[in-house]
Amino acid sequence: MTQTTPNSKTQQRLDPVEMLGERFVAAIAEAFEGKFEPGAIDPLITPSKNPQHGDYQSNAAMPLAKTLGMPPREVAKAIVAKLDLGDLALPMDESSIAGPGFINVRLKPETLADLVSELDRPGLGVKAEEQQTIVVDVCGVNLAKQMHVGHLRSTVIGDAMCRTLEKLGHTVIRQNHVGDWGLPIAMVVAKLQTEAKAGRIDLDQVTLDDLDRLYKVAKQESSADTKGLKAAQRFQLGPKVQAELEAQVAGATEALEHAKQTLVKLQSGDKETVALWQKLYDVTMGACLETCERLQANITEKDSAGESSFRDQLGEIVQILLDKKLAEEDDGALVVRNEGLEPTLVRKSDGGFLYATTDLAAVRKRVQQLGADRVIYCVDARQALHFKQVFATAKKAGFAHKDGATEDSTLEHAPFGMVLGEDGRPFKTRSGENVKLNDLINEAEQRAVVITSEKNPELSGDERQKIAHTVAVAALKYADLSSDRIKDYVFDWDRMLAFEGNTGPYLLYTYVRIRSIFRKAQEQGIAAGYESAALAINEPEEKSLALVLLRYPATVAAVSRTLEPHRMCGYLYELAGTFSRFFEHCPVLKAEGDDTRLSRLRLADLTARVLEDGLDCLGIQTLERM
Ligand code: ARG
C-alpha cells in the first residue's frame, strides 16, 4: 500500500477551481460593490465540458443577473472587466463570454505546467482536512451465518470510506458491530448443545457451514405454526393434521423455552454455555476475518465490537432514558417517542432488550469513550428508520455529546442499496439461498484465471494465480464501489471482469500499461531524469491529461464529504480514458526530442501514481504486470 501524507502547504495553490474561484469572487464583489458580501458569492467554477470553449468556466453570471435584475451577459461583461487573471490565464475579453453568460477561462500553458509539478509531490496534492476522530461502522456480520453478498457492501464500501478519510489525515476507528447476542444466538447455542450431547456433532470440528445449517434448523424449530393450528381447528382438517400441528407447536414452544433458558445462562456467565457461545464466536469470526483478508479489506480482530460487548450496559441505558423521562411504558414495554418517527422499542414486556438498545450503548461508547467527532454507519438502506430512531434518541439522551464539545458529534447513516440478480430480484443462488461471499470470490478467481490466461499465455502458474486473485478482487470490489451507493445494482460477471469500460480490470490494465512503458524506456536507457523534467504541456491531449490530473485532490475531498466512493471510480475511469487518448496522440518513447519525451514520461508516471493512490483509497491493489 502506498502511504501518502496530506500536504496542506502545496495544495493551497494547486486546485485551479479554488484559485479561479477566489479571483472571480473578488471580481464580482468589485463589479457590484455593496450588492453582495464576498462570503456569500458562489463563483460556480467548473472544468469545461468542451475543451474548445476553454479549460474552466464560471456560471455565476446567470444567478447573479436574476438577483440584480440585469441581463446576464451584461453581468458577465462587468465581471470580466474586473477580473485579474493575468498571471494564470490567457487574456480575456468579450469573446470569453458564451451563450447566456458563461465565462470561459483558458489557463496559460506555463501555469498548467507549474500546477502539475506542484501536484507531483508525495501527497499528490491531497489536502489534510481539519483532523477529526471518525468511527466507521463496517461489516456487521452475524454469528452462525455465512457472510453473504450484502456484507460485500458493508465491508468494501465501509473500508473505502475509512481509507479515504485516513488519507485526509483523520483518525479512523473501524467498528464491526457483530450480531453476536440475543435470543437468536442463544437459539443456536442451545441447538449446538443438543447436537453435541446427542453425538451428532463434534465440537472440535465444527465449521461455519455446520453452524449456518444449525441456525436455520433452530429457527424453524422454534417458530410455531400457531396460525396453521388455528386454521386446522377452524376448518376441521381432521385429527391427524391437528395432532401433527399441535406437536409442532409444542416442539416449538419447547425449543423457544430452551433458547430462553440458554440466554439466561449466557447472561449469568454459566461456564458450559459461555464456552459453546465462544465456539460459535470463534468459528464465525475466524471465517469472517479470513474473508475480509481475501477481499483485501482492512478489517481485523481489533475492530470487532459485537453486540455482546454492550450486554451489561443495556439496563443502565434504559435507566438513563427513564430518568430523563424519554422512555415511557406502552403495554408493558418501554418505548421512546421521537417526533415524526415511529416509537422506538427499547425494552420488551418480558424485560428483554433490543437491537436499538444496543445501538444506543454503541453510540455512547463511540462518542464518549472512543472520542468520535463523527460516526458513520455503512449499513443497508433498509435500516434507515432504525438509525433515525437511534440517532434521535441518542441525541436527546446526551449519548452523542463528547465531553467538553460545544456541539453533538455527527451521526450519519451512509446507506447502500441491494445487490440484484440479472432478473432484477435480490441476488440469490439457483436454489434461492443467499450467495456466500466466499463462493463469490472463488468464482471471480476462476473466471479471472481464464481471462488472464487468454490475455497473457506466458504467465507461470504461480504468477497467474496471484494476478488472477488481484484481478478478481479488483473486479468484485470495483463493481460494488462504482455504482451509486444508494441504488440497487445488478450483479453481472461479464461486465465486472471486462477489460473495457468502467471496471476494476480496465484500471489495473491502464496502470500496467504505464508500468510497461517505463520498463521499455529503462531498457532503452531513455528514461533518466524524467522525475524532475520540465513539463511541457502543449498538445491538446497533454493539456486534457494535466487538467484531469489536477482534479485528484478535489476528488478525494468530495468522497470524504459525500461518502460516495463511486465519485473516485468515475474520476479514475476518466483519468484512464484521458491517458489512453494522450498515449494514442502523443508518442512517448518515440517522442521528438529528449525534453518532450522526458516531460511525457513524467506525465505518464504521475498518472500511474494518481491511479495507484486513487485505487488505494478504494482498497484495490495494483499489479506490475498482468
Ligand atoms: N448485524 C447487523 C445486520 O446484519 C448489521 C449491524 C449494523 N450496525 C449497527 N450498528 N447496527 O443487520
Side-chain angles (χ1 to χ4, degrees), residues 137 140-142 177 179 355 359 377 379 383 387:
D137 192 295
V141 288
N142 300 309
H177 194 80
Y355 185 49
D359 256 321
Y377 292 78
V379 183
Q383 297 196 25
F387 285 113

Side-chain angles (χ1 to χ4, degrees), residues 137-143 145 148 151 154 175-180 305 307 310 355-356 358-359 362-363 366 377-380 383 386-387 390:
D137 192 295
V138 291
C139 193
V141 288
N142 300 309
L143 290 203
K145 282 201 221 165
H148 59 77
H151 295 112
S154 55
Q175 292 281 278
N176 187 353
H177 194 80
V178 181
D180 62 359
E307 294 182 21
F310 299 103
Y355 185 49
T358 307
D359 256 321
V363 170
R366 291 166 182 195
Y377 292 78
C378 184
V379 183
D380 194 321
Q383 297 196 25
H386 165 75
F387 285 113
V390 167

Side-chain angles (χ1 to χ4, degrees), residues 10 37 119 134 275 300 322 369 380 501 517 570:
T10 56
E37 280 295 314
L119 183 81
I134 305 177
T300 59
L322 282 169
Q369 197 177 320
D380 194 321
I517 298 171

Side-chain angles (χ1 to χ4, degrees), residues 144-392:
K145 282 201 221 165
Q146 289 277 7
M147 275 176 102
H148 59 77
V149 74
H151 295 112
L152 179 67
R153 308 218 76 191
S154 55
T155 301
V156 163
I157 303 175
D159 188 41
M161 286 177 187
C162 292
R163 287 167 189 260
T164 307
L165 294 165
E166 280 162 347
K167 212 156 279 258
L168 288 160
H170 298 295
T171 301
V172 176
I173 305 172
R174 293 158 170 82
Q175 292 281 278
N176 187 353
H177 194 80
V178 181
D180 62 359
W181 203 246
L183 199 57
I185 303 299
M187 229 160 59
V188 198
V189 173
K191 187 74 194 162
L192 191 60
Q193 190 174 35
T194 324
E195 292 299 292
K197 282 216 171 113
R200 283 189 292 264
I201 208 159
D202 176 358
L203 285 178
D204 293 327
Q205 307 282 327
V206 171
T207 64
L208 185 50
D209 274 329
D210 297 330
L211 296 177
D212 203 88
R213 192 172 39 78
L214 286 186
Y215 185 93
K216 283 177 195 135
V217 176
K219 204 166 123 188
Q220 212 172 20
E221 279 179 0
S222 41
S223 52
D225 186 9
T226 42
K227 273 197 192 131
L229 181 59
K230 281 196 189 119
Q233 287 159 346
R234 197 152 19 104
F235 297 120
Q236 300 180 329
L237 292 184
K240 197 160 164 57
V241 174
Q242 190 161 327
E244 215 169 66
L245 288 169
E246 266 166 8
Q248 191 261 341
V249 170
T253 324
E254 202 180 302
L256 206 61
E257 211 33 62
H258 187 193
K260 280 187 182 164
Q261 281 163 14
T262 307
L263 186 59
V264 173
K265 280 191 193 162
L266 266 178
Q267 305 265 31
S268 62
D270 172 71
K271 265 216 178 96
E272 191 199 330
T273 319
V274 170
L276 281 166
W277 176 86
Q278 192 66 46
K279 186 93 221 162
L280 209 64
Y281 185 91
D282 293 344
V283 171
T284 311
M285 290 316 284
C288 161
L289 296 178
E290 212 175 278
T291 307
C292 288
E293 202 180 317
R294 280 188 89 187
L295 281 172
Q296 294 153 5
N298 185 3
I299 294 167
T300 59
E301 179 56 46
K302 69 171 186 341
D303 308 317
S304 300
E307 294 182 21
S308 65
S309 65
F310 299 103
R311 62 179 181 245
D312 296 332
Q313 299 166 27
L314 304 181
E316 186 197 340
I317 292 287
V318 167
Q319 194 55 51
I320 295 173
L321 297 174
L322 282 169
D323 291 347
K324 299 204 166 181
K325 309 240 174 313
L326 295 171
E328 54 191 85
E329 200 146 323
D330 186 321
D331 207 9
L334 275 183
V335 299
V336 177
R337 292 180 205 282
N338 292 295
E339 220 184 75
L341 296 174
E342 274 135 68
T344 317
L345 193 56
V346 291
R347 197 179 67 199
K348 292 187 289 183
S349 49
D350 67 3
F353 302 110
L354 294 110
Y355 185 49
T357 329
T358 307
D359 256 321
L360 287 170
V363 170
R364 185 173 72 162
K365 170 193 170 191
R366 291 166 182 195
V367 173
Q368 298 180 351
Q369 197 177 320
L370 301 179
D373 302 298
R374 182 178 181 192
V375 188
I376 299 164
Y377 292 78
C378 184
V379 183
D380 194 321
R382 286 169 293 182
Q383 297 196 25
L385 174 63
H386 165 75
F387 285 113
K388 277 192 191 140
Q389 293 174 322
V390 167
F391 296 168

